[in-house]
Each structure stands twice: as structure tokens, then as C-alpha cells.
Amino acid sequence: MPALVLLGAQWGDEGKGKATDLLGGSVDYVVRYQGGNNAGHTVVVGDQKYALHLLPSGILSPGCTPVIGNGVVVDPSVLLSELSGLNERGVDTSKLLLSGNAHIITPYNVTVDKVTERFLGKRKIGTTGRGIGPTYADKINRVGIRVQDLYDESILTQKVEAALDVKNQILTKLYNRRAMAVDQAVEELLGYADKLAPYVADTVLVINQALEEDKVVLFEGGQGTLLDIDHGTYPFVTSSNPTAGGACTGAGVGPTKISRVIGILKAYTTRVGAGPFPTELFDEDGEALRRIGGERGVTTGRDRRCGWFDAVIARYATRVNGLTDFFLTKLDVLTGWEQIPVCVAYEIDGKRVEELPYSQTDFHHAKPVYEMLPGWSEDISKAKSFSDLPKNAQNYVKALEEMSGAPISAIGVGPGRDETIEINSFL
């Protein structure tokens, strides 16, 4: 059963789109299993750059069926806009499948997200303001709107009424905002029904039948391990489970069907939004990483916080995801440094700690313990094999592999589809 999970092993933005796209030609299905349009993948094909937010990266691979699973929260306007944009560029999007059980991001979810974040002020989480968290909250509170509800006006109206009973109390009495009208929300949501209908399917059945037929299915996570609602740097996390276990619940497959779990690992570390970040740099090196790496959020447009590679986080990602392989991206960005620091442990209250502390307080106070590795100055963007890399670049990769606890099976040496060194096949 060739089912693979591909996920971020840091705080997101590791280059998952490039990795998914690399596998796209050999994969029959690519399935997004969590998150929403708060995720973003940049895929470069030839001289064309595509910024994907909600759609699986497999949408760009002819012959591959892209699937939005039941664990994803879907903003219909964003989905339709993204499909339209790709169609205008000549990309065939007709094979997309959308789970009827996926939850809809409603207009009132977006409103609640924005006003809540503003209300928190200095205590804000750093959300994207796209309604992701409130939609997952509605799902858990059992007042959520699912895609299938768009095709039953009576059920849709009842559910919107139930959700707004509480939300309008909060909007008017706590935030001093105007109440939202039930009929207006229902009308807007019903307007998407016909446009989405060609894509709606029982994706759990489709995916499991594909696996039974020995098709290759790739499960693609958004965000990253350290943003997982259960296993990330809570509360500065997303509202879903980007870790490997999320693929089972978010796509409807059993864990015994997954044969490989691939973690995407940037050759340094970045994160967007608030929260602890032990190796964060506030000097010229941090600015250089941001500039050379083009570190700006695909979805948010915010500059990413940049720091050196953190092996403690990588080991943690290996453990909680059961990683079998790493795909190391953006190695080329590190070209030009004489020495490259790598965080091998933390110092907390004067003690050396080599594993991620479970206490949020300890993690906030963690100071990186660095090991210096020799850098390289040669251009590596044309390298086609591991032996083509300068010796110091090879040693850097080997050191990261040993520290992280899983083999590095592919290396990104540039943004292009063909700028990848494949050491071991993922299939």
C-alpha cells in the first residue's frame, strides 16, 4: 500500500510544495488533510511560479488527482478564486475532489477571528485572520457548516441560526459589533453550492479504493510539526494536526495503510507569527537569510523570522511523526558563510537539555547551544548528485542527518522543480 505522508518538520514554510511537486509525476492522488487557506505553498515550474493556499500541490501535475480531505476547512470564495486563477494560466483543475465532510469557513467565522485577535492586543496569537480557528471551534462545538450542508437549505439554515445565536451575543455585547443576519449568511453560502458541486465527493471512499488498487497516494500537510495544536508550541499554533496522525483522521485512512512519512526540513529555521523561537537571529545573518531565502509568507505576506538550524526540533519531529525520511530544502541559501552555527541542544536554567522541553515556560527560556560547522562558497544550484556538492556542504548534510534521527533522502539546491538532488527514492 504505497501511501506516503509529507509534512513540515519545523514551523511550516519548509518547502513542502516543492517536495510534493517533485513526487507529483509518480503519484496518483495528492490529499490535503488539514488546515485551510492559512497555509501556503510556492511551486516553481520552469519559469512559472505558482502560489497555492488551499489547493493540494498535485493540482499542477497532469495525471494526478488532487483531493481536499474532510480534515480541511474550506473558504469557498478562496477555493473558487484559486481554481479560476489556475484555469486562466492553462492549468486543468477538473480532477479536483472536495470532501463533502470538510467544514466551510463562513463569513461570521472570519469576522470573529479578526475581532478576537484585535481584542487580545499584546496577547494575540498571530493568526492569519482567515477564520480558521473559529471554524475548527465550530466543528468541535458541533455547530459547524459542512460542504454537504450547502445542498440542504433547511439544515443549513438551522445550523447557521444555532451558530449565530451565540456569536451575535459575543459580537454585540463583548466586542460592540453589529449582529450578523442569518438570512444573509445563508444566502451567501448557498451561492457557492452550484459552483462547488462538480468537485464534491465521498473522498474517504475514493482514497481507500485507490489504496486497495495499489495507487500511490500522497498525504500533504499544511503548516508544520511545531504548529500542531497538540504537539506544537501551544498556544502559538494552528488549529489542527499537521503531524502524521492528522493524515489518518483528516483523510479517513487507517494508520496501517501508511508506508512512509517524509519530513520537510529547511537547512536553517524560520517561523511566522508569535511564539518562542530559540535560534532566532536579530542581526545581519538573520537579515541575510531572509533576503537570500526570500523569506516572506506565501499566504500572510509577512516577513518570516529567521534563525539557524535547530536539531532539537528536528529530533522532536522525527519522534512525534515517526519520520522515515527527510527532504532538506534551501541548502543553497547557506552558500557564502565561512562557518554555519547549528543548534545541538538548549541551555535552560544553566542546564544542558538535548530534547524539546515539554514545559512552555522552559521552552520560552531556552538558549541555543551551537556547534560550528565549516561553510562553503561554491555555487551548488547546478549540483545533480550528492557527490557534486562541495565537501563542506556534504559534511553539513551528514551532520544534520545524524543529529535529526532520520535519513536525508533528497536535497533542494534551488527553487526550481529540477534543482533537487535525489539520494534515495521516496517511492
Side-chain angles (χ1 to χ4, degrees), residues 6 11 20-21 29 31 39 48 66 129 181 184 210 242 259 273-274 284 293 313 350 359 366 393:
L6 188 146
W11 275 287
T20 307
D21 185 61
Y29 293 80
V31 184
Q48 296 290 308
Q184 184 178 343
S259 52
E284 293 179 358
I313 284 172
S359 161

Side-chain angles (χ1 to χ4, degrees), residues 260-309:
R260 210 155 181 182
V261 183
I262 304 160
I264 314 305
L265 201 59
K266 199 175 284 186
Y268 47 101
T269 311
T270 62
R271 82 170 294 176
V272 171
F277 183 1
T279 67
E280 183 173 8
L281 296 169
F282 301 94
D283 57 9
E284 293 179 358
D285 284 333
E287 184 53 43
L289 288 173
R290 185 178 297 110
R291 184 185 72 255
I292 299 168
E295 296 298 349
R296 181 176 287 269
V298 177
T299 297
T300 63
R302 293 180 286 186
D303 282 344
R304 295 178 186 137
R305 300 157 63 189
C306 295
W308 299 120
F309 185 85

Side-chain angles (χ1 to χ4, degrees), residues 375 388 410:
D388 290 340

Side-chain angles (χ1 to χ4, degrees), residues 320-399:
V320 298
N321 292 296
L323 296 179
T324 59
D325 303 81
F326 278 116
F327 186 135
L328 185 70
T329 62
K330 291 198 169 184
L331 184 64
D332 53 301
V333 173
L334 295 180
T335 299
W337 269 272
E338 269 189 48
Q339 288 192 309
I340 305 171
V342 171
C343 174
V344 296
Y346 300 145
E347 182 185 308
I348 302 173
D349 294 331
K351 296 180 180 178
R352 181 185 174 103
V353 176
E354 299 196 356
E355 300 297 344
L356 197 75
Y358 78 91
S359 161
Q360 174 182 304
T361 301
D362 284 349
F363 194 51
H364 268 282
H365 292 96
K367 297 177 181 178
V369 176
Y370 287 116
E371 181 178 313
M372 305 301 292
L373 299 178
W376 60 92
S377 57
E378 301 92 330
D379 178 15
I380 64 172
S381 62
K382 301 296 186 292
K384 299 300 180 186
S385 67
F386 188 70
S387 60
D388 290 340
L389 293 174
K391 197 67 179 175
N392 285 349
Q394 292 182 32
N395 290 337
Y396 184 80
V397 173
K398 290 176 181 176

